[in-house]
CSV table of all heavy atoms in Angstrom, one decimal:
chain,number,residue,atom,x,y,z
A,1,GLY,N,0.8,-1.2,0.0
A,1,GLY,CA,0.0,0.0,0.0
A,1,GLY,C,0.9,1.2,0.0
A,1,GLY,O,2.1,1.2,-0.3
A,2,THR,N,0.3,2.4,0.3
A,2,THR,CA,1.0,3.6,0.3
A,2,THR,C,0.8,4.3,1.7
A,2,THR,O,-0.3,4.4,2.2
A,2,THR,CB,0.4,4.6,-0.8
A,2,THR,OG1,0.6,3.9,-2.0
A,2,THR,CG2,1.2,5.9,-0.8
A,3,PHE,N,1.9,4.8,2.3
A,3,PHE,CA,1.8,5.5,3.5
A,3,PHE,C,2.8,6.7,3.4
A,3,PHE,O,4.0,6.6,3.2
A,3,PHE,CB,2.2,4.6,4.7
A,3,PHE,CG,2.3,5.3,6.0
A,3,PHE,CD1,1.2,5.9,6.6
A,3,PHE,CD2,3.5,5.5,6.7
A,3,PHE,CE1,1.2,6.5,7.8
A,3,PHE,CE2,3.6,6.1,7.9
A,3,PHE,CZ,2.4,6.6,8.5
A,4,GLU,N,2.2,7.9,3.6
A,4,GLU,CA,3.0,9.2,3.5
A,4,GLU,C,3.8,9.3,2.2
A,4,GLU,O,4.9,9.7,2.2
A,4,GLU,CB,3.9,9.3,4.8
A,4,GLU,CG,3.1,9.4,6.1
A,4,GLU,CD,4.1,9.6,7.3
A,4,GLU,OE1,5.3,9.4,7.1
A,4,GLU,OE2,3.6,9.9,8.3
A,5,GLY,N,3.1,8.8,1.1
A,5,GLY,CA,3.8,8.9,-0.2
A,5,GLY,C,4.8,7.9,-0.5
A,5,GLY,O,5.4,7.8,-1.6
A,6,LYS,N,5.0,6.9,0.5
A,6,LYS,CA,6.0,5.9,0.2
A,6,LYS,C,5.2,4.5,0.1
A,6,LYS,O,4.2,4.3,0.7
A,6,LYS,CB,6.9,5.8,1.4
A,6,LYS,CG,7.7,7.0,1.7
A,6,LYS,CD,8.5,6.8,3.0
A,6,LYS,CE,9.3,8.1,3.4
A,6,LYS,NZ,10.0,7.9,4.6
A,7,THR,N,5.8,3.7,-0.7
A,7,THR,CA,5.3,2.3,-0.9
A,7,THR,C,5.7,1.5,0.3
A,7,THR,O,6.9,1.4,0.6
A,7,THR,CB,5.8,1.7,-2.2
A,7,THR,OG1,5.4,2.5,-3.3
A,7,THR,CG2,5.3,0.3,-2.4
A,8,VAL,N,4.7,0.9,0.9
A,8,VAL,CA,5.0,0.0,2.1
A,8,VAL,C,4.5,-1.4,1.7
A,8,VAL,O,3.5,-1.6,1.0
A,8,VAL,CB,4.3,0.5,3.3
A,8,VAL,CG1,5.0,1.8,3.8
A,8,VAL,CG2,2.8,0.8,3.1
A,9,ARG,N,5.2,-2.4,2.3
A,9,ARG,CA,4.8,-3.8,2.0
A,9,ARG,C,4.9,-4.6,3.3
A,9,ARG,O,5.7,-4.3,4.2
A,9,ARG,CB,5.7,-4.4,1.0
A,9,ARG,CG,5.6,-3.7,-0.4
A,9,ARG,CD,6.3,-4.6,-1.5
A,9,ARG,NE,7.7,-5.0,-1.2
A,9,ARG,CZ,8.4,-5.9,-1.8
A,9,ARG,NH1,7.8,-6.6,-2.8
A,9,ARG,NH2,9.6,-6.2,-1.5
A,10,LEU,N,4.0,-5.6,3.4
A,10,LEU,CA,4.1,-6.6,4.5
A,10,LEU,C,4.0,-8.0,3.9
A,10,LEU,O,3.1,-8.2,3.0
A,10,LEU,CB,2.9,-6.3,5.4
A,10,LEU,CG,2.7,-7.3,6.6
A,10,LEU,CD1,2.1,-6.6,7.8
A,10,LEU,CD2,1.8,-8.5,6.3
A,11,GLY,N,4.9,-8.9,4.2
A,11,GLY,CA,4.8,-10.2,3.7
A,11,GLY,C,5.8,-11.2,4.2
A,11,GLY,O,6.6,-10.8,5.1
A,12,ARG,N,5.9,-12.3,3.6
A,12,ARG,CA,6.8,-13.4,4.1
A,12,ARG,C,8.2,-13.1,3.6
A,12,ARG,O,8.5,-12.4,2.6
A,12,ARG,CB,6.3,-14.7,3.5
A,12,ARG,CG,6.3,-14.8,2.0
A,12,ARG,CD,5.8,-16.1,1.5
A,12,ARG,NE,5.7,-16.2,0.1
A,12,ARG,CZ,6.7,-16.3,-0.8
A,12,ARG,NH1,8.0,-16.4,-0.3
A,12,ARG,NH2,6.5,-16.4,-2.1
A,13,PRO,N,9.2,-13.7,4.4
A,13,PRO,CA,10.6,-13.6,3.9
A,13,PRO,C,10.7,-14.3,2.6
A,13,PRO,O,10.1,-15.4,2.3
A,13,PRO,CB,11.3,-14.4,5.0
A,13,PRO,CG,10.4,-14.3,6.2
A,13,PRO,CD,9.0,-14.3,5.7
A,14,GLY,N,11.5,-13.7,1.7
A,14,GLY,CA,11.6,-14.3,0.3
A,14,GLY,C,10.9,-13.3,-0.6
A,14,GLY,O,11.5,-12.9,-1.7
A,15,TRP,N,9.7,-12.9,-0.3
A,15,TRP,CA,9.1,-11.8,-1.0
A,15,TRP,C,9.7,-10.4,-0.6
A,15,TRP,O,9.9,-9.6,-1.4
A,15,TRP,CB,7.6,-11.8,-0.8
A,15,TRP,CG,6.9,-10.8,-1.7
A,15,TRP,CD1,6.9,-10.7,-3.0
A,15,TRP,CD2,6.0,-9.8,-1.2
A,15,TRP,NE1,6.1,-9.7,-3.5
A,15,TRP,CE2,5.5,-9.1,-2.4
A,15,TRP,CE3,5.5,-9.3,0.0
A,15,TRP,CZ2,4.6,-8.0,-2.4
A,15,TRP,CZ3,4.6,-8.3,0.1
A,15,TRP,CH2,4.2,-7.6,-1.1
A,16,ILE,N,10.0,-10.3,0.7
A,16,ILE,CA,10.7,-9.1,1.2
A,16,ILE,C,12.0,-9.6,1.7
A,16,ILE,O,12.1,-10.6,2.5
A,16,ILE,CB,9.9,-8.5,2.3
A,16,ILE,CG1,8.6,-7.9,1.8
A,16,ILE,CG2,10.7,-7.3,3.0
A,16,ILE,CD1,7.6,-7.3,2.8
A,17,ASN,N,13.1,-9.0,1.3
A,17,ASN,CA,14.4,-9.3,1.8
A,17,ASN,C,14.6,-8.9,3.3
A,17,ASN,O,14.5,-7.7,3.6
A,17,ASN,CB,15.5,-8.6,0.9
A,17,ASN,CG,16.9,-9.1,1.2
A,17,ASN,OD1,17.1,-9.7,2.2
A,17,ASN,ND2,17.8,-8.8,0.3
A,18,PRO,N,14.9,-9.9,4.2
A,18,PRO,CA,15.1,-9.5,5.6
A,18,PRO,C,16.2,-8.6,5.9
A,18,PRO,O,16.2,-7.9,6.9
A,18,PRO,CB,15.2,-10.9,6.3
A,18,PRO,CG,15.7,-11.8,5.2
A,18,PRO,CD,15.1,-11.3,3.9
A,19,GLY,N,17.3,-8.5,5.0
A,19,GLY,CA,18.4,-7.7,5.2
A,19,GLY,C,19.0,-7.8,6.6
A,19,GLY,O,19.4,-8.9,7.0
A,20,SER,N,19.1,-6.7,7.4
A,20,SER,CA,19.8,-6.7,8.7
A,20,SER,C,19.0,-7.5,9.7
A,20,SER,O,19.5,-7.8,10.8
A,20,SER,CB,19.9,-5.3,9.2
A,20,SER,OG,18.7,-4.6,9.3
A,21,LEU,N,17.7,-7.9,9.4
A,21,LEU,CA,16.9,-8.6,10.3
A,21,LEU,C,16.9,-10.1,10.1
A,21,LEU,O,16.1,-10.8,10.6
A,21,LEU,CB,15.5,-8.1,10.3
A,21,LEU,CG,15.2,-6.7,10.7
A,21,LEU,CD1,13.8,-6.3,10.5
A,21,LEU,CD2,15.7,-6.4,12.1
A,22,ALA,N,17.9,-10.6,9.2
A,22,ALA,CA,17.9,-12.0,8.9
A,22,ALA,C,18.1,-12.9,10.1
A,22,ALA,O,17.4,-13.9,10.3
A,22,ALA,CB,19.1,-12.2,7.9
A,23,SER,N,18.9,-12.5,11.1
A,23,SER,CA,19.1,-13.3,12.3
A,23,SER,C,17.9,-13.3,13.1
A,23,SER,O,17.6,-14.3,13.8
A,23,SER,CB,20.3,-12.7,13.1
A,23,SER,OG,20.1,-11.4,13.5
A,24,ASP,N,17.2,-12.1,13.2
A,24,ASP,CA,15.9,-12.1,14.0
A,24,ASP,C,14.9,-13.0,13.4
A,24,ASP,O,14.2,-13.7,14.1
A,24,ASP,CB,15.4,-10.6,14.0
A,24,ASP,CG,16.3,-9.7,14.8
A,24,ASP,OD1,16.2,-9.6,16.0
A,24,ASP,OD2,17.2,-9.1,14.1
A,25,VAL,N,14.8,-13.0,12.0
A,25,VAL,CA,13.8,-13.8,11.4
A,25,VAL,C,14.1,-15.3,11.6
A,25,VAL,O,13.2,-16.1,11.9
A,25,VAL,CB,13.8,-13.5,9.9
A,25,VAL,CG1,12.9,-14.6,9.1
A,25,VAL,CG2,13.2,-12.1,9.6
A,26,GLU,N,15.4,-15.6,11.6
A,26,GLU,CA,15.8,-17.0,11.8
A,26,GLU,C,15.4,-17.5,13.2
A,26,GLU,O,15.0,-18.6,13.5
A,26,GLU,CB,17.3,-17.2,11.5
A,26,GLU,CG,17.8,-18.6,11.7
A,26,GLU,CD,19.3,-18.8,11.4
A,26,GLU,OE1,19.9,-17.7,11.1
A,26,GLU,OE2,19.8,-19.9,11.6
A,27,ARG,N,15.7,-16.6,14.2
A,27,ARG,CA,15.4,-16.8,15.6
A,27,ARG,C,13.9,-17.0,15.8
A,27,ARG,O,13.5,-18.0,16.5
A,27,ARG,CB,15.9,-15.7,16.4
A,27,ARG,CG,15.5,-15.8,17.9
A,27,ARG,CD,16.2,-14.7,18.7
A,27,ARG,NE,15.9,-13.4,18.1
A,27,ARG,CZ,14.8,-12.7,18.5
A,27,ARG,NH1,13.9,-13.2,19.3
A,27,ARG,NH2,14.6,-11.5,17.9
A,28,MET,N,13.1,-16.2,15.1
A,28,MET,CA,11.6,-16.3,15.2
A,28,MET,C,11.1,-17.7,14.7
A,28,MET,O,10.3,-18.4,15.3
A,28,MET,CB,10.9,-15.2,14.5
A,28,MET,CG,11.2,-13.8,15.1
A,28,MET,SD,10.5,-12.5,14.0
A,28,MET,CE,10.8,-11.0,15.0
A,29,GLN,N,11.7,-18.0,13.5
A,29,GLN,CA,11.2,-19.3,12.9
A,29,GLN,C,11.7,-20.5,13.7
A,29,GLN,O,11.0,-21.5,13.8
A,29,GLN,CB,11.7,-19.3,11.4
A,29,GLN,CG,11.1,-18.3,10.5
A,29,GLN,CD,11.7,-18.3,9.2
A,29,GLN,OE1,12.9,-18.6,9.0
A,29,GLN,NE2,10.9,-17.8,8.2
A,30,THR,N,12.9,-20.4,14.3
A,30,THR,CA,13.4,-21.5,15.1
A,30,THR,C,12.5,-21.7,16.3
A,30,THR,O,12.4,-22.9,16.8
A,30,THR,CB,14.8,-21.3,15.5
A,30,THR,OG1,15.7,-21.1,14.4
A,30,THR,CG2,15.4,-22.4,16.4
A,31,ALA,N,11.9,-20.6,16.8
A,31,ALA,CA,11.0,-20.7,17.9
A,31,ALA,C,9.6,-21.2,17.6
A,31,ALA,O,8.7,-21.2,18.4
A,31,ALA,CB,11.0,-19.4,18.7
């Protein structure tokens, strides 16, 4: 969608690159 003129997205890893949060995502999935 759009928020304050910027494109925003919400979705699963793979569609959105986790970047610096890769370790957090891995920790969440392991749990």
